Amino acid sequence: DAKTTQPPSMDCAEGRAANLPCNHSTISGNEYVYWYRQIHSQGPQYIIHGLKNNETNEMASLIITEDRKSSTLILPHATLRDTAVYYCIVRVSNTGNQFYFGTGTSLTVIP
Amino acid sequence: NAGVTQTPKFQVLKTGQSMTLQCAQDMNHEYMSWYRQDPGMGLRLIHYSVGAGITDQGEVPNGYNVSRSTTEDFPLRLLSAAPSQTSVYFCASSSTTSGRKNEQFFGPGTRLTVL
């Protein structure tokens, strides 16, 4: 699975959009980009995933560049409850579902 | 649905003791896995299973055993606990066939301290 690079920490004002970047320059054509988050010491929570096209769900949007070497997770209106560590993971979809987490980005939403 | 449940929530062991961390899921998921998370670190995969009777090693399998006799349960055994195994342990499950495949559901974690 390709490695990912994320900034260790970011701040965002409450109510503003939070844009979390992820570099995955060695991604292969059949690897998906996944985002999970971990609030405090809870188990990680799935947010969104995509292959090539931009994706949106009730939690967030995922923007993948055309060359697929980087992506951005967007939380459109950040709230204090979005304070968490966000993990970007790239992996092949059908390889047994095991995930390899990095250290992620610690997002702090400021009132 | 209870989702993924883990017991115990907290455990303190002495070096050399053995114990089993329990994990159960009621979503009929084929895939289950165990991760550990050390302070300030991401999760690291210990063992995983793609179905009853099938298990395989992840990144950090040494010192741990698993078995999968039923779809619902995936216990993690520490054979002889060491201080280096002090960590938070998370169990996860996912479906390999449903529309939400590849979305892993995590349990609340077991906080283990080995003295």
Side-chain angles (χ1 to χ4, degrees):
Chain A
D1 293 326
K3 286 188 65 174
T4 62
T5 303
Q6 299 177 252
S9 64
M10 293 181 62
D11 293 337
C12 177
E14 188 177 18
R16 304 296 293 270
N19 297 287
L20 291 91
C22 179
N23 286 328
H24 31 79
S25 58
T26 60
I27 193 169
S28 301
N30 60 348
E31 287 184 311
Y32 286 71
V33 180
Y34 289 80
W35 284 85
Y36 279 74
R37 74 179 183 183
Q38 187 175 24
I39 296 174
H40 195 42
S41 301
Q42 299 174 21
Q45 175 190 25
Y46 166 84
I47 301 173
I48 199 167
H49 75 282
L51 182 63
K52 296 182 191 177
N53 300 323
N54 298 338
E55 303 286 345
T56 295
N57 62 21
E58 64 278 5
M59 289 181 68
S61 294
L62 173 61
I63 309 297
I64 303 174
T65 58
E66 194 168 340
D67 63 8
R68 303 207 326 120
K69 293 186 176 183
S70 65
S71 60
T72 301
L73 178 75
I74 301 173
L75 309 177
H77 305 286
T79 71
L80 299 180
R81 286 175 293 184
D82 292 322
T83 293
V85 177
Y86 288 77
Y87 296 99
C88 169
I89 304 160
V90 293
R91 59 179 298 281
V92 178
S93 175
N94 61 352
T95 54
N97 288 5
Q98 55 269 37
F99 284 75
Y100 294 92
F101 289 76
T103 51
T105 295
S106 177
L107 174 70
T108 301
V109 179
I110 302 169
Chain B
N1 285 350
V4 180
T5 57
Q6 292 183 237
T7 56
K9 285 188 168 53
F10 300 93
Q11 183 70 50
V12 179
L13 292 178
K14 294 181 180 178
T15 297
Q17 287 184 315
S18 63
M19 81 158 294
T20 300
L21 308 186
Q22 301 292 344
C23 174
Q25 51 91 9
D26 61 358
M27 298 172 282
N28 203 32
H29 284 168
E30 302 87 354
Y31 182 82
M32 296 185 75
S33 54
W34 276 102
Y35 295 85
R36 62 176 286 175
Q37 186 173 33
D38 300 333
M41 305 287 287
L43 282 73
R44 290 185 292 169
L45 183 66
I46 304 172
H47 285 285
Y48 64 96
S49 168
V50 299
I54 306 170
T55 64
D56 207 345
Q57 297 180 348
E59 295 177 87
V60 288
N62 292 341
Y64 307 95
N65 274 359
V66 292
S67 59
R68 183 98 179 269
S69 56
T70 67
T71 299
E72 295 78 20
D73 300 298
F74 190 43
L76 178 72
R77 281 183 290 278
L78 280 70
L79 307 173
S80 177
S84 60
Q85 293 179 304
T86 294
S87 192
V88 181
Y89 291 83
F90 290 102
C91 178
S93 75
S94 64
S95 171
T96 59
T97 56
S98 79
R100 294 179 74 179
K101 66 180 178 181
N102 298 309
E103 178 182 344
Q104 291 213 37
F105 295 83
F106 283 82
T110 293
R111 283 145 185 82
L112 176 68
T113 300
V114 183
L115 302 175

